[in-house]
Amino acid sequence: MDFISNLALGFSVALAAQNILFCFVGVLGGTLVGVLPGVGPLATIAILLPVTFSMAPDSALIMLAGIYYGAQYGGSTTAILLNLPGEASSAVTTLDGYQMARRGRAGAALATAALSSFFAGTVATIIVAIFAAPLTQVAMAFRPPSYFSLMVLGLVASVVLAHGSVPKAIAMVLLGLLLGIIGTDIYTGTTRLDMGMLELADGVNFVALAIGLFGIAEILRNLENPESREVLKGRVEGLWLSLHDFRRIAMPSLRGTAIGSALGILPGGGAMLASFAAYIVEKKVSKNRDEMGRGAIEGVAAPESANNAGSQTAFIPMLTLGLPSNAVMALMIGAMIIQGVQPGPDIILKQPDMFWGLIVSMWIGNLMLVLLNLPLVGLWVRFLTVPYPVLVVAVMAFSAVGIYSASGTLFSMYELGFFGLLGYVFMRLGCEPAPLILGFILGPMMEEQLRRSMLMSRGDPTVFLTEPISLSFLIVALAALLLMTAPAIARRREEAFSEE
């Protein structure tokens, strides 16, 4: 009965007029940035953070979540029609989706992507609703040493699953931790690492950091390589599947949903890892695996269901433990902190309306996306003809105005420029910024839990080893680090990311 009453509470919040509006704005914006190559959900959520300052917390989170899973839908449109993924998690969809489009089955490929995503989104929403509350009860039993060790495990996982060099990923985590502790010490009241600048007394501006590293840096990188877009000619027709098509996508969609739901929960996982894993599995087990890569409908259904399921189950650790599983979830936690909401298991008890409203809004948002994607596909195709320089100017101006209106200080503009250039340098050096943002968000939380643990144990560091839950997390983290350094695992990891 609790489950039913919780869903009823969620529907009452999600169906409020303003939340329906913000959910629609989120999924529409997410679809748009997914369609337009070069402006991903990470950059968009970072850029839109200042807009959420004046919104209610539940409306802000509903809109930002809509952008995230909406981009998974939108990315498939360009992947199928242009052979150019609008979003990284849709990259594998190009293999079969574009081949289907070249054979005159663009409508069937788009319908497969939309229906598979809707199915996966519905199942993933139910999974989040079922498991979030029990996991929250488990998390309530955690003490400070357990939380500290859990965050250590989260940072190790972000290193293991980061692209490229492991030492670079570790360096990015450490830099994020360092940036996160700049400002005033909450226990002693003294400032630290502020280099004598009063503007840094409250710490580094999170919004400037996020927009700079993900928004401005991404734009600078895209300007370096102006792309030519060749939009598919002719009308997209046949936006309905035959019975034979439904039979062929049923099992791939189920398998993709299961894989995406599982991988989305893992720290460092999420939509992109899920879509590649689902495609690889489908190539091994599908009855029509000989057609994979040459226009097989299974090659669209599996990754599209996986990336949407993964993007939604990624909310489970964020909502229940306050632990971001990827950079997008780190931005979501940043948005919650800005709104005065402390992420963690207390949310479900202290703000159940926001918690269940967000979960139910995911299903409503997925329904909106099916209605948006199929009938409006012609509109999305026309958006692809917008010149990228026009978008750049609009996005840069929007970012600058947004951050200045939120902070009201010129210093935040300097921070924006600094982190934008720093993010661009990181990209050129092959350093992924996602571990940095995770370290930045988790750094102050880890420090707080570390200090509480030390106070609780009267300065005895063995408390992290004597508490069973904490010890378990540390053992898993150590095992992950050791496995990563094993030559065979390291080689396989490089091969997996080179395939992406």
Side-chain angles (χ1 to χ4, degrees):
M1 288 302 292
D2 284 347
F3 179 72
I4 302 297
S5 60
N6 288 333
L7 283 185
L9 174 63
F11 271 106
S12 69
V13 174
L15 291 177
Q18 75 274 14
N19 287 337
I20 288 182
L21 174 65
F22 286 121
C23 184
F24 179 76
V25 170
V27 297
L28 184 68
T31 303
L32 186 58
V33 300
V35 166
L36 294 172
V39 189
L42 200 56
T44 307
I45 290 175
I47 289 166
L48 287 179
L49 279 177
V51 177
T52 64
F53 289 177
S54 58
M55 296 165 60
D58 52 352
S59 300
L61 289 178
I62 285 171
M63 187 183 80
L64 294 178
I67 291 171
Y68 182 40
Y69 57 78
Q72 316 306 324
Y73 273 72
S76 64
T77 303
T78 48
I80 291 167
L81 299 182
L82 274 78
N83 198 28
L84 186 66
E87 162 59 14
S89 62
S90 300
V92 74
T93 306
T94 60
L95 298 177
D96 287 280
Y98 186 63
Q99 291 300 322
M100 287 181 71
R102 290 185 64 185
R103 294 179 183 181
R105 299 205 70 205
L110 289 169
T112 300
L115 295 176
S116 299
S117 297
F118 175 69
F119 171 77
T122 302
V123 173
T125 300
I126 294 171
I127 290 172
V128 175
I130 290 174
F131 289 101
L135 278 175
T136 299
Q137 293 299 320
V138 172
M140 296 293 283
F142 287 11
R143 299 202 309 160
S146 304
Y147 266 117
F148 177 80
S149 300
L150 176 64
M151 291 174 189
V152 170
L153 174 60
L155 290 180
V156 169
S158 74
V159 170
V160 172
L161 296 173
H163 294 216
S165 159
V166 170
K168 287 179 181 176
I170 293 174
M172 296 298 278
V173 167
L174 294 177
L175 181 58
L177 291 172
L178 193 64
L179 291 172
I181 61 173
I182 290 176
T184 305
D185 187 313
I186 57 172
Y187 284 88
T188 65
T190 57
T191 55
R192 57 192 180 185
L193 302 173
D194 65 346
M195 295 173 285
M197 290 185 271
L198 289 176
E199 294 86 351
L200 288 176
D202 290 331
V204 173
N205 187 321
F206 169 71
V207 182
L209 175 78
I211 295 178
L213 282 181
F214 295 111
I216 305 300
E218 185 70 22
I219 288 169
L220 293 175
R221 186 175 70 89
N222 284 322
L223 283 175
E224 210 176 44
N225 301 306
E227 75 229 3
S228 60
R229 302 176 193 166
E230 188 177 336
V231 181
L232 193 73
K233 306 293 183 189
R235 287 175 59 85
V236 178
E237 297 177 336
L239 288 169
W240 192 245
L241 300 178
S242 65
L243 186 60
H244 178 66
D245 288 332
F246 273 115
R247 285 177 180 156
R248 285 187 63 168
I249 69 170
M251 289 310 295
S253 297
L254 271 175
R255 285 190 284 266
T257 301
I259 292 168
S261 299
L263 292 181
I265 298 171
L266 295 178
M272 188 173 69
L273 184 65
S275 64
F276 278 90
Y279 189 81
I280 291 169
V281 168
E282 207 56 38
K283 281 181 74 173
K284 304 277 187 192
V285 304
S286 173
K287 291 179 182 175
N288 302 303
R289 53 182 172 272
D290 293 341
E291 295 179 31
M292 297 287 283
R294 292 183 293 160
I297 198 167
E298 292 88 346
V300 177
E304 285 302 312
S305 55
N307 67 30
N308 204 46
S311 69
Q312 295 194 191
T313 55
F315 282 85
I316 290 179
M318 193 273 281
L319 289 172
T320 58
L321 304 173
L323 184 71
S325 58
N326 55 47
V328 173
M329 291 301 112
L331 293 184
M332 295 287 287
I333 285 184
M336 292 167 74
I337 293 172
I338 289 170
Q339 292 275 356
V341 179
Q342 187 60 39
D346 286 346
I347 288 181
I348 195 169
L349 298 175
K350 294 180 178 176
Q351 293 172 296
D353 49 345
M354 187 186 78
F355 182 89
W356 291 105
L358 175 61
I359 288 175
V360 171
S361 77
M362 292 182 193
W363 185 81
I364 295 173
N366 273 281
L367 188 60
M368 288 180 180
L369 284 166
V370 173
L371 301 176
L372 279 173
N373 270 263
L374 295 181
L376 299 183
V377 65
L379 179 66
W380 302 130
V381 170
R382 277 199 286 278
F383 268 116
L384 293 170
T385 60
V386 176
Y388 192 71
V390 175
L391 285 176
V392 166
V393 173
V395 171
M396 295 276 272
F398 185 77
S399 303
V401 171
I403 197 166
Y404 185 77
S405 62
S407 65
T409 65
L410 189 60
F411 188 75
S412 63
M413 304 301 291
Y414 294 143
E415 288 181 291
L416 177 67
F418 173 75
F419 286 116
L421 290 174
L422 189 64
Y424 176 70
V425 171
F426 285 154
M427 286 183 178
R428 297 286 295 171
L429 293 175
C431 299
E432 193 183 359
L436 186 151
I437 202 78
L438 289 172
F440 182 82
I441 288 291
L442 290 179
M445 298 185 198
M446 288 180 70
E447 183 192 10
E448 187 178 349
Q449 300 300 338
L450 176 65
R451 286 186 164 186
R452 284 186 182 176
S453 303
M454 289 294 99
L455 286 172
M456 189 178 74
S457 65
R458 299 175 185 249
D460 181 7
T462 60
V463 68
F464 298 105
L465 303 177
T466 54
E467 188 164 304
I469 299 175
S470 170
L471 179 62
S472 304
F473 288 140
L474 290 178
I475 289 174
V476 174
L478 183 63
L481 277 176
L482 291 176
L483 279 173
M484 190 171 54
T485 55
I489 299 290
R491 192 167 53 249
R492 183 64 194 131
R493 179 179 176 277
E494 288 177 8
E495 289 172 2
F497 286 124
S498 67
E499 286 174 5
E500 298 178 10

